[in-house]
Amino acid sequence: NAGVTQTPKFRVLKTGQSMTLLCAQDMNHEYMYWYRQDPGMGLRLIHYSVGEGTTAKGEVPDGYNVSRLKKQNFLLGLESAAPSQTSVYFCASSPRGRGNGQPQHFGDGTRLSIL
Amino acid sequence: TQLLEQSPQFLSIQEGENLTVYCNSSSVFSSLQWYRQEPGEGPVLLVTVVTGGEVKKLKRLTFQFGDARKDSSLHITAAQPGDTGLYLCAGVTTSGTYKYIFGTGTRLKVLA
């Protein structure tokens, strides 16, 4: 069972370069999320999607864009990378459900360094 | 902005000791989840608590949701080296926007 797959696993960029992080899930989940994890700050939500073709801003959306053209894929883009975006990025998915809090399934992360 | 503060931030204990990790907020959540994260991997769900005052046990781990659904605790009895990891709490918002607010994390190290 693949679950949630993130590519690439590691990447080094120079300031000003652009890139796209890909997240794919094979569990037919409605909801998908992008987080960044920095030391001492837990996980912070960047953007999320509640269904194909829909996206919404999370807690720290500036400098990032997302797209969800297909239900199984959620892309995170950095148009002009900045050193402050050096972080570990996690994608997660969860099934539809309200109130009780469906479990989130996470990928293994993308370690991104901006020089 | 909803915040979840975890304490302690770091904890290093000997095998066999007991410990409690706290997750506190001024906001009310519809439910609260606990995750454990190993190095190089994503967080994995341990438990979800839904009702105020609810207590759930998972082997040596006991989870409690506060009566007012603003806080939670994780108690580990007789800790083992395999319990080492980063523990994260996550509150599910009641606003209907399907967002999870993660705590700042507690890094636990259990020494053999």
Side-chain angles (χ1 to χ4, degrees), chain A residues 74-97:
Chain A
F74 196 28
L75 278 63
L76 177 70
L78 286 73
E79 290 187 347
S80 180
S84 61
Q85 294 177 304
T86 293
S87 188
V88 182
Y89 292 85
F90 285 97
C91 176
S93 70
S94 67
R96 181 190 298 274

Side-chain angles (χ1 to χ4, degrees), chain A residues 41-92:
Chain A
M41 302 189 74
L43 289 161
R44 292 183 293 169
L45 182 64
I46 304 171
H47 287 280
Y48 64 102
S49 168
V50 299
E52 181 179 324
T54 69
T55 63
K57 293 181 179 179
E59 183 185 358
V60 287
D62 294 342
Y64 306 95
N65 56 76
V66 288
S67 64
R68 189 147 178 224
L69 300 179
K70 294 183 178 181
K71 185 177 183 179
Q72 63 268 32
N73 295 335
F74 196 28
L75 278 63
L76 177 70
L78 286 73
E79 290 187 347
S80 180
S84 61
Q85 294 177 304
T86 293
S87 188
V88 182
Y89 292 85
F90 285 97
C91 176

Side-chain angles (χ1 to χ4, degrees), chain A residues 23-38:
Chain A
C23 176
Q25 55 98 0
D26 62 2
M27 296 171 283
N28 201 35
H29 286 168
E30 291 291 334
Y31 309 146
M32 296 188 75
Y33 310 81
W34 274 108
Y35 296 92
R36 60 178 289 173
Q37 186 173 37
D38 302 292

Side-chain angles (χ1 to χ4, degrees), chain B residues 96-112:
Chain B
T97 56
Y98 311 99
K99 286 193 289 187
Y100 298 73
I101 308 298
F102 277 84
T104 48
T106 294
R107 191 166 296 280
L108 171 66
K109 187 170 185 177
V110 182
L111 305 171

Side-chain angles (χ1 to χ4, degrees), chain A residues 31 33 35 37 39-45 48 50 57-59 90 94-109 111, chain B residues 1-3 9 30-31 33 35 37 39-45 48-50 86 88 92-93 95-105:
Chain A
Y31 309 146
Y33 310 81
Y35 296 92
Q37 186 173 37
M41 302 189 74
L43 289 161
R44 292 183 293 169
L45 182 64
Y48 64 102
V50 299
K57 293 181 179 179
E59 183 185 358
F90 285 97
S94 67
R96 181 190 298 274
R98 195 186 268 269
N100 287 343
Q102 298 296 321
Q104 291 198 300
H105 299 259
F106 285 85
D108 285 338
R111 283 143 189 83
Chain B
T1 302
Q2 294 172 294
L3 295 173
Q9 190 174 1
S30 61
S31 62
Q33 300 178 332
Y35 292 80
Q37 185 178 15
E41 299 179 3
V44 175
L45 180 69
T48 300
V49 284
V50 178
L86 178 66
L88 295 160
V92 183
T93 64
S95 63
T97 56
Y98 311 99
K99 286 193 289 187
Y100 298 73
I101 308 298
F102 277 84
T104 48

